Amino acid sequence: MRFIKKCIVTMLVAILVVLVALYFLLQTRWGAGFTSNLITENSRWHLTFDKLEHHWAAPSHLVFQNLSIGYKDQPAMLSATRVDVGLSSRQLTVPRYVDSLLLEDGTLNLNAAPPSLRANTLRLKNMTINQPNLNARQVSGGVSPWLPEAGYVLGRAAQIQFSAGELTWDGVTGRNALLQGSINNGEIDLSTIGADLARGTLTARARRDSQGHWWIQNLRLNEVRLQSDKPLTDFLAPVATLPELTLERLDIVDARLEGPGWAFNDLDLSLRNLTLEKGAWRSDDGTLSLNASEIIWGNVQLNDPILDADLKAQSIALRKLSTRWERGMVRASGEWQRNTNTLTLNDLALVGLEYTLPQDWKAMWLAPTPDWISNVMVQNMTASRNLLIDIDPTFPFQLTSLDASGQQLQLARDGQWGLWSGTLNLAAAAATFNRTDVRRPSLKLDASPENIRINDMSMFAGEGMLEATGEMSQQPQRAFTLNITGRNVPLDTLNNWGWPPLTLQGNGGMQLTLKGNLAANQPLKPTVSGQLRATDSQGHALNQTMVGGSVNGADATDPQGNTATTQQPPVHEGTSPDNSATAQQPPAQEDNTDDNGATVQQPPVEEDNAAPAQQAPEGQDNTEPPSPEQSSSAPELI
């Protein structure tokens, strides 16, 4: 019996000696290296540490120096200068559940699966945290309790509090960040969110349910100055990838946001009750208010824009929209309907604009509308003192001091721009159409789904007046008719508008009837046919017929009604006409003969100012050089 007791005592002493030896050996570099190699060779973990410390002043704490741990063949999950593990009596039954865990001055990677270690309290001090799309530096804080699971790195239920000196999420960097809240079975309640963001501040409060739906109870951005290297569509793209998100209140105060081709300066925005999900939005009782000193998007620059809108389940009520644009003012109010993508403007006012049409405005007009707009209606439109310019070299024009009024205008139908219905009145103080100046042009038209009717069009040209009526079909071929009457107008008025120069000069009267097709992406000239009758101040008359955009011939008569004899225009020195074309050449001057055979003398023509030769029919061999009024480089409408 004494022998057995002696053996037991000896074994206990030996065990105690071994434990004491291990205790001291582990606190040496040799012992730390031996233990690290032993664990690494016999587990799936890769573990290294320089030294293990233990102080009897805190007997339940083990301190590891320069600890690194992670799965084999993967980057380290944790590397820290100091790791303090607090033990308790729980280790007797649950060895991997410690009382406290303190990580200092290191890096924590949350990309891998969480370890099986648990703790009543996890504390971080000056740590760096890496996660997909997230990087945080100088992180301090804690989680209590810390019970990580797959998909729940912080556990299912815990109190959390963190601060970070610098935090970067999806390319956006904030400093001095603070986060406080709780987790309960997948539900997250963040009572405090704050950060210094882009020289401004961010404060927020948010919560998330167990299905992943976020509610931003309030989010405020104050004096943010953010510059991005992304276009606006790319900058906003992350919004479309967010989980279901409800903004109960969003306030942006005095912000400046800039990127390639876009900018918001001195932006104030207030948004209430808006839900975003997979790039779409919905709202039952929301509001949007916005104002800024400047908004730039591509070539569009808006100064002092103001927007007030009500967000509803199936519509957006535009209570007020006003902005300074192109040195003028634009005001509007109306409503957008979600189910039909219809934008209805109750009132639209354009005042004092100085607008130059973009070079591709015709292509833009023929292009389909954006996806969110299928129909555009303007109930009442007014415009005053506007300047409209088109610099298209083929047919430039300018309207000065343009006034307009319109009612029930449908500007888009089923995704296609146009004038599909309504009445429109236009009037200007002056205008220039392809280098031809006119005064007081005015236009009154009615549009329907079948056609557009020009009820009255008039303008002063020279000492007289031009008047016109017409009609154009809304079918794809856009067949049109146009009747123009001129009284005491310069007979060369039509020259710059596509009609060949006339042999008559000075002021006179004219009547022109045109027919043709204005089909999209099809040439106009081959479809045009018409009849022109012109009379000069001396009573000489000229009839011309246009077929396929070309004038086939002309008959000139004297005041007594006799047919004039056509003569070949004079040939410039050094040129000779083709004899085969002489009989068909239109008259350049008239040799009028009365009933008795007497010759009526043609009024003299000043030197170097002879009347231009009429254009020969297509296919005719005419080698005579063109007159100055028929410069081949002059743009033509027809």
Side-chain angles (χ1 to χ4, degrees):
M1 195 68 182
R2 293 177 62 186
F3 177 75
I4 294 175
K5 290 181 180 179
K6 195 176 200 180
C7 288
I8 292 175
V9 170
T10 302
M11 291 178 61
L12 291 175
V13 171
I15 291 173
L16 180 61
V17 171
V18 171
L19 291 176
V20 172
L22 289 175
Y23 172 77
F24 285 104
L25 286 174
L26 286 174
Q27 297 186 59
T28 64
R29 292 186 179 275
W30 181 87
F34 176 81
T35 304
S36 300
N37 292 333
L38 183 65
I39 294 175
T40 300
E41 292 174 359
N42 295 279
S43 70
R44 59 175 180 168
W45 296 94
H46 179 271
L47 173 68
T48 62
F49 64 94
D50 289 349
K51 187 178 179 182
L52 174 64
E53 295 181 356
H54 180 264
H55 301 284
W56 290 105
S60 62
H61 287 261
L62 299 177
V63 179
F64 295 86
Q65 300 291 340
N66 297 323
L67 174 69
S68 176
I69 184 172
Y71 293 105
K72 290 181 179 179
D73 301 325
Q74 293 185 15
M77 181 184 299
L78 169 67
S79 60
T81 302
R82 184 172 183 270
V83 177
D84 187 332
V85 181
L87 306 176
S88 68
S89 59
R90 183 188 290 266
Q91 269 65 64
L92 298 176
T93 56
V94 187
R96 295 181 179 179
Y97 196 121
V98 300
D99 181 64
S100 64
L101 185 61
L102 172 63
L103 311 178
E104 290 187 33
D105 299 325
T107 300
L108 182 62
N109 293 312
L110 303 179
N111 301 330
S116 57
L117 188 64
R118 307 288 186 270
N120 286 333
T121 302
L122 170 65
R123 291 184 296 153
L124 307 178
K125 184 177 181 180
N126 196 30
M127 291 289 293
T128 295
I129 297 178
N130 294 321
Q131 196 178 18
N133 299 326
L134 175 66
N135 177 267
R137 300 179 181 179
Q138 301 174 8
V139 178
S140 298
V143 182
S144 178
W146 182 54
L147 307 173
E149 299 180 17
Y152 298 90
V153 69
L154 298 179
R156 289 181 177 271
Q159 296 290 324
I160 58 176
Q161 178 175 329
F162 293 103
S163 65
E166 181 177 288
L167 185 147
T168 301
W169 177 71
D170 200 23
V172 179
T173 300
R175 291 177 173 80
N176 301 323
L178 176 63
L179 183 68
Q180 292 180 333
S182 62
I183 302 173
N184 185 16
N185 293 324
E187 296 182 359
I188 301 175
D189 186 0
L190 302 177
S191 58
T192 302
I193 304 173
D196 294 334
L197 178 66
R199 294 188 292 172
T201 59
L202 177 150
T203 58
R205 181 174 180 177
R207 60 186 179 89
R208 192 198 76 168
D209 63 15
S210 57
Q211 285 73 40
H213 183 180
W214 281 92
W215 280 267
I216 307 298
Q217 295 165 302
N218 63 72
L219 172 60
R220 182 182 178 91
L221 298 172
N222 189 55
E223 296 183 352
V224 170
R225 305 291 186 264
L226 179 62
Q227 289 187 333
S228 174
D229 59 352
K230 299 178 180 179
L232 184 59
T233 53
D234 295 341
F235 180 76
L236 298 177
V239 176
T241 62
L242 290 175
E244 188 175 357
L245 172 69
T246 296
L247 291 167
E248 296 183 7
R249 179 172 180 174
L250 169 64
D251 294 296
I252 300 177
V253 180
D254 192 22
R256 294 185 181 179
L257 312 175
E258 297 181 4
W262 62 274
F264 295 83
N265 293 325
D266 303 323
L267 173 66
D268 293 333
L269 182 146
S270 178
L271 180 62
R272 302 288 187 274
N273 300 327
L274 178 70
T275 299
L276 302 173
E277 183 178 8
K278 298 179 181 180
W281 67 272
R282 66 178 185 270
S283 177
D284 293 330
D285 187 20
T287 60
L288 172 63
S289 298
L290 176 150
N291 66 79
S293 65
E294 182 182 57
I295 294 179
I296 298 174
W297 187 12
N299 295 326
V300 178
Q301 179 176 347
L302 306 178
N303 296 310
D304 301 325
I306 299 175
L307 171 66
D308 289 320
D310 294 329
L311 309 180
K312 303 178 182 179
Q314 294 298 327
S315 65
I316 298 177
L318 189 63
R319 290 187 280 114
K320 179 181 180 181
L321 170 64
S322 68
T323 182
R324 290 192 298 110
W325 177 58
E326 297 293 341
R327 301 180 182 86
M329 177 67 70
V330 178
R331 295 191 302 270
S333 64
E335 187 175 40
W336 175 80
Q337 294 289 335
R338 179 196 296 271
N339 55 353
T340 60
N341 286 338
T342 297
L343 175 63
T344 301
L345 297 179
N346 299 326
D347 294 288
L348 174 63
L350 310 172
V351 181
L353 303 183
E354 299 179 9
Y355 184 56
T356 299
L357 293 168
Q359 292 185 352
D360 60 343
W361 70 269
K362 298 175 184 176
M364 295 169 61
W365 184 253
L366 295 175
T369 60
D371 293 338
W372 59 276
I373 292 181
S374 294
N375 304 282
V376 177
M377 290 290 299
V378 180
Q379 304 289 355
N380 184 51
M381 187 272 285
T382 59
S384 61
R385 303 189 307 278
N386 299 291
L387 175 63
L388 183 63
I389 302 173
D390 183 10
I391 58 175
D392 183 356
T394 58
F395 196 87
F397 65 82
Q398 175 176 313
L399 296 168
T400 304
S401 192
L402 174 64
D403 297 339
S405 64
Q407 290 77 38
Q408 305 299 321
L409 299 173
Q410 185 174 12
L411 301 182
R413 186 184 69 172
D414 299 331
Q416 183 60 60
W417 298 108
L419 184 58
W420 300 102
S421 66
T423 61
L424 179 63
N425 298 326
L426 301 172
T432 299
F433 298 102
N434 196 21
R435 297 183 299 278
T436 297
D437 296 331
V438 297
R439 305 182 309 282
R440 300 293 180 184
S442 65
L443 173 67
K444 296 180 181 180
L445 57 82
D446 291 325
S448 68
E450 292 75 28
N451 54 43
I452 299 175
R453 295 184 303 277
I454 301 176
N455 297 324
D456 182 20
M457 182 171 67
S458 64
M459 62 189 74
F460 291 96
E463 300 176 358
M465 173 178 285
L466 286 172
E467 295 178 310
T469 60
E471 184 174 328
M472 183 176 69
S473 170
Q474 296 278 34
Q475 298 302 315
Q477 289 300 317
R478 294 290 194 272
F480 73 90
T481 61
L482 183 63
N483 301 310
I484 301 177
T485 300
R487 298 190 302 272
N488 197 30
V489 296
L491 294 176
D492 60 355
T493 300
L494 301 179
N495 291 3
N496 288 328
W497 300 349
W499 196 273
L502 307 181
T503 57
L504 303 181
Q505 295 183 354
N507 293 340
M510 64 177 66
Q511 289 183 338
L512 174 64
T513 301
L514 288 177
K515 294 182 180 180
N517 296 328
L518 278 172
N521 302 318
Q522 297 294 328
L524 168 64
K525 185 174 181 178
T527 70
V528 177
S529 61
Q531 184 75 34
L532 172 66
R533 177 177 176 81
T535 305
D536 63 14
S537 58
Q538 298 179 2
H540 301 111
L542 177 68
N543 294 320
Q544 289 185 336
T545 300
M546 176 174 285
V547 177
S550 299
V551 174
N552 293 331
D555 293 326
T557 60
D558 63 17
Q560 286 75 28
N562 299 316
T563 302
T565 302
T566 59
Q567 295 184 357
Q568 182 73 15
V571 180
H572 293 277
E573 182 178 357
T575 63
S576 59
D578 189 338
N579 293 331
S580 62
T582 303
Q584 301 180 25
Q585 186 70 13
Q589 64 181 12
E590 299 178 1
D591 185 9
N592 299 312
T593 306
D594 60 14
D595 295 338
N596 297 322
T599 301
V600 179
Q601 183 65 35
Q602 179 72 13
V605 180
E606 294 182 4
E607 185 178 358
D608 297 330
N609 288 297
Q614 186 68 31
Q615 181 178 346
E618 292 184 16
Q620 179 175 313
D621 184 10
N622 186 358
T623 59
E624 182 174 344
S627 62
E629 289 85 349
Q630 289 181 288
S631 174
S632 60
S633 62
E636 293 184 350
L637 176 62
I638 300 177

